[in-house]
Amino acid sequence: METQVAAPLLLLLVGVCLARREEYYDDVPDVGFTSQYGPLWPLPQKFQTSAVVFKLSGASFRIVDAKESSSGASCALLQNAYRRYFNYIFPSTKKQGHNKKKTFVSALSELQVWTTSADSDCDGFPDVTSDESYQLSVDSSVAVLKAAKVWGVLRGLETFSQLVYEDEYGAISVNRTEINDFPRFAHRGVLLDTSRHFLPVKVILANLEAMAWNKFNVFHWHIVDDPSFPYLSRTFPQLSQQGAYHPYTHVYTPSDVKMIIEFARLRGIRVIPEFDTPGHTLSWGKGQKDLLTPCYSGASPSGTFGPVNPILNTTYEFMSMLFKEISTVFTDAYIHLGGDEVDFGCWKSNPDIQKFMEQQGFGTDYKKLESFYIQRILDIVSTTNKHYMIWQEVLDNGVKLKPDTVVNVWMGNQLEAELEKVTGAGFTTILSAPWYLDWIGYGQDWQKYYLAEPLSFKGTDAQKKLVIGGEACLWGEYVDGTNLTPRLWPRASAVAERLWSDKDVRDVNDAYSRLAQHRCRMIQRGIPAEPLITGFCPHEYSGQ
Ligand SMILES: *[C@@H]1O[C@H](CO)[C@@H](O)[C@H](O)[C@H]1NC(C)=O
Ligand SMILES: *[C@@H]1O[C@H](CO)[C@@H](O)[C@H](O)[C@H]1NC(C)=O
């Protein structure tokens, strides 16, 4: 009896397994294909190369400021970058160069870096208008990297380092190349979530480094949420004292935050913090009395709490002081104010809120109450001279927004209609919906991220111009310092190329060839980027 049942069941299971495998193996790229672009990632906009090879000697090669450059030795950002990239180009054993005595027939002796704009932005912060374009020319014994601003230099140094390879005899080489490059989208972000799990500063820094290798330029820091409040506020220290997982070991101190922002700046990366309200705030309530709405069960409080209490003056006094602090701690012109997934159940249960709804004439439309709250938060943040980003619900629910608001679209259903609507209303838009990297499954999902096209919705050219980029989001429910890095890379790299390269760069075979090499390069540079599929790297990851 048992075996009779088991046999068909087994067949069924085998069938399911085969079906699954087939589904994924259908779109496996041709792993034998080699891209003519070598290991470049993301692919530059204009690229020309030839078979003429120059050799580089670790003992004599230099990255130098061009005489004509507007930024010289006093630009710490560039000096810092030269050191980083020198180390990438010459991994430790090659620094002295076993070719020291050899003189090459055609040697590349230096890379001259030339910022052409009178103000190279050396001491500034990157912003959404930053010029990241650059030109790179390797065609004689001196290579030239030219950019208006330091931001373009950073992108160009990364590209130069990707052009350099070890030939079959171990000599460091680079082919004659001309590149003219610029990003397709101005906002290319990665969202990390430090509330569901605390991410040690070291892990954040390592991923900022990897972001720079992929030409990402925004770190969207979803810093607090329901589970924990790791941001140490000078004005309200009890928020992290009570709301963090641990008040000393699981917090970001003011100096941590400062270090992260500076580390990011040196790599041309903006840090946009998200302080999401009125939902997603349970951890806030632990250190700030009366901030959250008490939920009711029948006529009496149930002991649980809901979203921020929007009917108390003290709420707005608190928010004013907190956002005043945040606006000085974080240097970027934008703050993300969240506004997603507000659960109305608790508000509905609370008699004081019911009374307030009546007084305001909101009827039973709790979206109006949410709008009332958000409107006031937006006004508060406006007085700090910051601009704001919000999740799409805020617009969907009819909140009146300042015209410079950036709307973050994250919902996958009816995505194209939403993009049409948001851009139709004239708002600058950032797209996250296709790139929720916390959703994992069997197979090569990088292709799905890679092929997602941000501008495929119906709309005028003016509407499409309003989409300024997108973000790869790695929410933290199942992610902490143990698995963040391999889960993010190289899957986020697929998003990086979609947002940097030309829209017609969509060949999955070509992408696979370059991405597999890019992943091995990330491993060689020290981060555990997970494999795309069966294969190997010349230098395997062996832990640190
Ligand atoms: C660089 O030059 C070598 C030697 O001529 C050639 O085999 C190789 O394909 C070239 N690489 C690229 C990316 O053009
Ligand atoms: C809240 O502030 C408003 C405007 O300043 C004021 O009219 C109102 O009385 C205050 N409410 C409470 C409960 O203090």
Side-chain angles (χ1 to χ4, degrees):
M1 196 56 192
E2 265 181 345
T3 45
Q4 273 172 6
V5 176
L9 193 67
L10 191 67
L11 276 176
L12 188 73
L13 284 175
V14 169
V16 168
C17 290
L18 286 177
R20 270 179 63 91
R21 293 176 75 92
E22 231 166 68
E23 181 191 332
Y24 286 102
Y25 286 168
D26 263 357
D27 45 24
V28 162
D30 175 2
V31 294
F33 181 89
T34 305
S35 171
Q36 58 167 313
Y37 303 111
L40 286 178
W41 194 279
L43 194 66
Q45 300 276 352
K46 289 182 189 132
F47 177 88
Q48 254 189 335
T49 188
S50 81
V52 177
V53 180
F54 300 96
K55 306 283 181 197
L56 288 69
S57 153
S60 57
F61 180 78
R62 293 292 175 262
I63 304 175
V64 298
D65 301 299
K67 274 198 291 295
E68 308 88 331
S69 183
S70 61
S71 53
S74 63
C75 180
L77 180 147
L78 288 184
Q79 302 306 321
N80 230 289
Y82 299 167
R83 181 172 55 197
R84 270 198 320 280
Y85 281 100
F86 187 85
N87 284 328
Y88 293 147
I89 294 166
F90 302 101
S92 51
T93 54
K94 304 279 179 199
K95 276 207 183 68
Q96 301 314 312
H98 49 221
N99 300 309
K100 203 169 181 175
K101 298 243 166 57
K102 251 195 235 164
T103 41
F104 296 120
V105 186
S106 37
L108 185 69
S109 61
E110 55 184 43
L111 172 65
Q112 293 188 352
V113 173
W114 182 357
T115 55
T116 57
S117 170
D119 176 7
S120 70
D121 277 4
C122 180
D123 299 312
F125 286 89
D127 65 35
V128 71
T129 66
S130 289
D131 185 350
E132 295 173 285
S133 63
Y134 67 91
Q135 287 164 281
L136 178 61
S137 169
V138 182
D139 76 346
S140 68
S141 63
V142 171
V144 178
L145 169 58
K146 220 192 245 190
K149 305 283 188 179
V150 291
W151 317 120
V153 172
L154 292 173
R155 304 302 168 237
L157 284 171
E158 176 57 39
T159 302
F160 180 76
S161 75
Q162 295 189 2
L163 289 171
V164 175
Y165 61 94
E166 219 175 284
D167 76 6
E168 55 195 304
Y169 306 105
I172 308 286
S173 314
V174 63
N175 287 25
R176 172 189 260 166
T177 306
E178 295 290 333
I179 288 178
N180 194 334
D181 200 11
F182 51 89
R184 180 179 173 209
F185 292 103
H187 183 115
R188 306 178 308 280
V190 169
L191 177 149
L192 299 182
D193 168 3
T194 56
S195 171
R196 291 179 175 90
H197 285 95
F198 179 78
L199 299 174
V201 172
K202 216 175 127 184
V203 172
I204 294 177
L205 299 184
N207 282 282
L208 285 166
E209 193 78 86
M211 282 172 64
W213 305 338
N214 288 273
K215 297 188 170 70
F216 275 112
N217 67 358
V218 177
F219 169 31
H220 175 164
W221 191 354
H222 189 84
I223 188 165
V224 296
D225 201 298
D226 285 327
S228 77
F229 195 103
Y231 172 74
L232 198 163
S233 160
R234 283 202 173 103
T235 321
F236 300 104
Q238 66 279 17
L239 287 171
S240 59
Q241 227 132 59
Q242 306 297 325
Y245 284 127
H246 187 282
Y248 310 128
T249 60
H250 287 53
V251 294
Y252 302 105
T253 65
S255 67
D256 290 338
V257 172
K258 209 168 166 184
M259 186 210 297
I260 287 168
I261 293 173
E262 178 61 8
F263 190 94
R265 184 187 81 84
L266 292 175
R267 286 151 185 81
I269 298 171
R270 301 163 59 198
V271 178
I272 300 182
E274 178 180 352
F275 285 83
D276 190 358
T277 70
H280 291 279
T281 47
L282 280 184
S283 66
W284 301 48
K286 295 186 180 158
Q288 184 65 21
K289 203 167 154 295
D290 296 334
L291 179 66
L292 303 183
T293 310
C295 314
Y296 275 64
S297 158
S300 49
S302 67
T304 62
F305 294 89
V308 167
N309 192 334
I311 70 172
L312 300 180
N313 286 352
T314 50
T315 291
Y316 301 101
E317 287 156 16
F318 164 81
M319 291 293 179
S320 294
M321 290 172 74
L322 182 66
F323 278 110
K324 198 167 158 206
E325 173 187 316
I326 291 165
S327 71
T328 59
V329 169
F330 291 92
T331 50
D332 199 78
Y334 279 82
I335 301 177
H336 201 303
L337 299 175
D340 58 320
E341 298 181 310
V342 183
D343 174 16
F344 296 146
C346 181
W347 280 351
K348 283 180 186 166
S349 75
N350 182 304
D352 296 330
I353 299 228
Q354 292 163 8
K355 209 181 302 161
F356 184 83
M357 293 280 292
E358 246 173 67
Q359 281 166 4
Q360 298 286 329
F362 292 164
T364 54
D365 187 355
Y366 284 82
K367 282 184 186 169
K368 288 192 175 143
L369 182 61
E370 181 186 352
S371 300
F372 169 89
Y373 168 82
I374 298 226
Q375 201 73 68
R376 295 192 63 174
I377 294 298
L378 300 187
D379 293 343
I380 285 168
V381 173
S382 299
T383 66
T384 68
N385 290 323
K386 292 282 184 186
H387 307 279
Y388 40 77
M389 281 173 70
I390 40 102
W391 294 109
Q392 71 180 75
E393 289 99 311
V394 176
L395 178 84
D396 295 346
N397 291 347
V399 177
K400 219 174 90 225
L401 297 167
K402 285 203 304 183
D404 61 355
T405 305
V406 174
V407 179
N408 200 169
V409 172
W410 70 277
M411 289 179 169
N413 57 333
Q414 302 182 341
L415 175 60
E416 305 215 332
E418 180 76 15
L419 286 171
E420 213 181 318
K421 183 177 90 179
V422 177
T423 56
F427 289 103
T428 304
T429 306
I430 286 164
L431 183 61
S432 299
W435 298 308
Y436 267 40
L437 270 50
D438 49 312
W439 288 85
I440 55 170
Y442 185 81
Q444 298 200 55
D445 58 1
W446 69 270
Q447 295 173 47
K448 179 177 73 185
Y449 304 133
Y450 186 70
L451 293 173
E453 168 49 47
L455 303 187
S456 63
F457 65 97
K458 277 206 226 70
T460 62
D461 286 351
Q463 274 174 282
K464 305 219 164 168
K465 279 213 179 75
L466 288 168
V467 179
I468 57 164
E471 293 185 352
C473 302
L474 193 57
W475 297 100
E477 283 86 348
Y478 304 99
V479 176
D480 70 5
T482 63
N483 61 352
L484 178 129
T485 306
R487 193 163 288 191
L488 189 57
W489 311 106
R491 292 160 78 231
S493 303
V495 184
E497 176 151 303
R498 180 55 48 235
L499 295 173
W500 178 280
S501 306
D502 188 83
K503 70 175 192 319
D504 294 330
V505 177
R506 300 179 62 80
D507 179 334
V508 171
N509 285 331
D510 188 78
Y512 174 80
S513 164
R514 288 179 295 109
L515 186 55
Q517 296 178 74
H518 181 53
R519 179 225 158 209
C520 290
R521 176 169 50 227
M522 290 196 277
I523 284 177
Q524 194 173 6
R525 290 179 182 186
I527 71 152
E530 69 176 20
L532 296 167
I533 196 169
T534 315
F536 75 102
C537 286
H539 305 268
E540 296 292 356
Y541 186 73
S542 58
Q544 278 180 317

